[in-house]
Amino acid sequence: MSTATVAITGGTRGIGFGMAQALLARGHRVAVCGTDPERTDRVRAELPDSALVHAADVTDRDQVQGFWNAAVERFGGVDIWINNAGISHTRTPLWELAADDARKVVNTNLLGVLNGCAVAVPAMAAHGRGHIWNMEGLGSDGRSVPGLGVYGASKRAVTYLTEALAKETPDQVTVGLLSPGMVVTDLLIGGYSDPAELAKARRIFNILADRVETVTPWLAERAVTRTRNGAHVRWLTTGKVLRRFAAAPFRTRDLFAD
């Protein structure tokens, strides 16, 4: 695909914002949405005028539809839709997690993806083509981490949903998974209440994680070139994990120096 129109939910921060910047640098048309009005205004000022920055809450399907409509009005259509919006929660056992916090995570991470797909699939089918990417996260591969049960369950569900959608979408619409691995964002390092646990986690992050500006150009390039049905794009492969652990005793990395 030479020049694409890409819409990214949760595109005003973290991985979504990094991908938006990388796509714009490659000449693509980009629309992003976010829920924080102050951040949305700031991103609108940071991105070029060619980008569309829209306020939308992915847990509300009408607002997701409004984001789609705004992108179509600006660009004439959407070629690639990326369900990137996601949040985590305090690392704590399920029974200690406030019901509202659990609900927000599930509503954003799972219902938000459901809403995005429900809006994008029929519109893309009517247009005759389109690709949807859903963003994986911790838990997508079935690995469990104590204290992150709700977040992991929501991401596991997204993976199942995507695999099911790949079997039921119309022929004109394709669906796939983007797996960014460990990326240093608020989502990765937030939620620690114990400083000792955070220090321990940072040691692992310094081996396996990467900064946003390292991962997102790679993801952006593949988001517009690997648009086959059932595609699964992974940054942090098993081979890369093994090589990084093997090199760790001889390699010094500090992703948190700043």
Side-chain angles (χ1 to χ4, degrees), residues 96-218:
E96 296 178 3
L97 186 65
D100 283 347
D101 291 341
R103 187 179 299 108
K104 287 177 183 176
V105 170
V106 174
N107 284 350
T108 302
N109 296 2
L110 180 55
L111 183 60
V113 173
L114 289 169
N115 286 337
C117 292
V119 166
V121 169
M124 287 178 168
H127 184 62
R129 61 184 173 84
H131 183 85
I132 298 168
W133 290 110
N134 293 332
M135 194 71 70
E136 288 195 312
L138 186 145
S140 291
D141 61 358
R143 184 169 60 95
S144 58
V145 173
L148 285 175
V150 175
Y151 175 82
S154 71
K155 285 298 183 178
R156 183 65 167 166
V158 166
T159 298
Y160 176 89
L161 171 68
T162 307
E163 292 171 351
L165 281 173
K167 298 179 179 179
E168 66 185 27
T169 53
D171 291 341
Q172 308 95 315
V173 183
T174 53
V175 185
L177 289 161
L178 289 178
S179 180
M182 291 186 182
V183 183
V184 181
T185 65
D186 293 343
L187 202 65
L188 180 70
I189 63 177
Y192 285 94
S193 56
D194 183 348
E197 284 297 317
L198 177 58
K200 181 180 177 181
R202 282 187 170 188
R203 288 195 290 272
I204 299 299
F205 297 158
N206 276 323
I207 296 173
L208 296 180
D210 292 284
R211 291 192 173 99
V212 169
E213 59 267 27
T214 300
V215 177
T216 51
W218 186 91

Side-chain angles (χ1 to χ4, degrees), residues 21-40:
Q21 290 178 304
L23 288 162
L24 287 164
R26 287 160 172 75
H28 298 289
R29 297 173 293 269
V30 175
V32 300
C33 75
T35 57
D36 184 332
E38 290 185 7
R39 183 179 296 276
T40 301

Side-chain angles (χ1 to χ4, degrees), residues 58-98:
V58 296
T59 67
D60 183 329
R61 189 172 296 185
D62 289 340
Q63 292 190 41
V64 176
Q65 183 69 61
F67 176 44
W68 175 276
N69 294 345
V72 171
E73 182 177 353
R74 170 73 72 89
F75 301 118
V78 175
D79 302 307
I80 297 169
W81 177 277
I82 303 176
N83 285 308
N84 167 74
I87 61 173
S88 190
H89 55 80
T90 302
R91 294 168 188 251
T92 189
L94 170 63
W95 56 91
E96 296 178 3
L97 186 65

